[in-house]
Amino acid sequence: QVRLAESGGGSVQAGGSLRLSCQGTKYTYEDNCVGWFRQAPGKEREGVAGIFTGRPAGTWYSDSVKGRFTISQDNAEKTVYLQMNNLSPDDTATYYCASDRSAGPPCDVTRRWAGYFGQGTPVTVVA
C-alpha cells in the first residue's frame, strides 16, 4: 500500500516555480505532521517545510526556503502541497514527502522524523 505519493517534480529554469503534491491516506494524513525533505547528490537529507494537518494548524520552514516556498493542505484530498517559487540551482534535489504522527506539533523539519517517507520526486533547477 502506498502511504505517501509524491508528484510534481521536474526541470525548471532558475527563477521559475514548481508545485509538489503529496497525497496521503487517512492514517498518514489526518492529525499528522506532514513535511517535505530534500536530498541533493552527495549531501545529507535536509528538512524543508512541515505542516500539522490537525488543530491547531501550523507551518514550519527551514531558513533556506523561507519567503520562497509555501506549504499548504487540502483536507478533502488528504494532500499537502509545496509551492516553490524563485527556484535556484541550489534547490536541485530529490524531494521526499514524510509523515510522522509523533513529530509534533510543532512539525519542526530540522528535527529527525521517523515516520513514513515517500519514494521522492526529483527537482532540477537549471541556471
Side-chain angles (χ1 to χ4, degrees), residues 7 18-23 29 34-36 49 51 61 69-75 77-84 97:
S7 62
L18 282 174
R19 188 178 78 159
L20 306 182
S21 300
C22 171
Q23 185 170 42
Y29 180 86
V34 180
W36 289 95
I51 189 167
Y61 297 92
F69 292 10
T70 303
I71 191 169
S72 61
Q73 65 191 93
D74 182 334
N75 292 338
E77 297 295 327
K78 294 184 177 58
T79 298
V80 168
Y81 300 99
L82 184 68
Q83 178 66 42
M84 306 186 294
C97 178

Side-chain angles (χ1 to χ4, degrees), residues 3-7 21-24 28 34-38 80 95-99 113 116-121:
R3 295 181 173 90
L4 294 169
E6 304 109 327
S7 62
S21 300
C22 171
Q23 185 170 42
T28 60
V34 180
W36 289 95
F37 294 76
R38 65 186 182 186
V80 168
Y95 284 70
Y96 298 90
C97 178
S99 168
W113 288 26
Y116 297 101
F117 281 77
Q119 293 298 307
T121 184

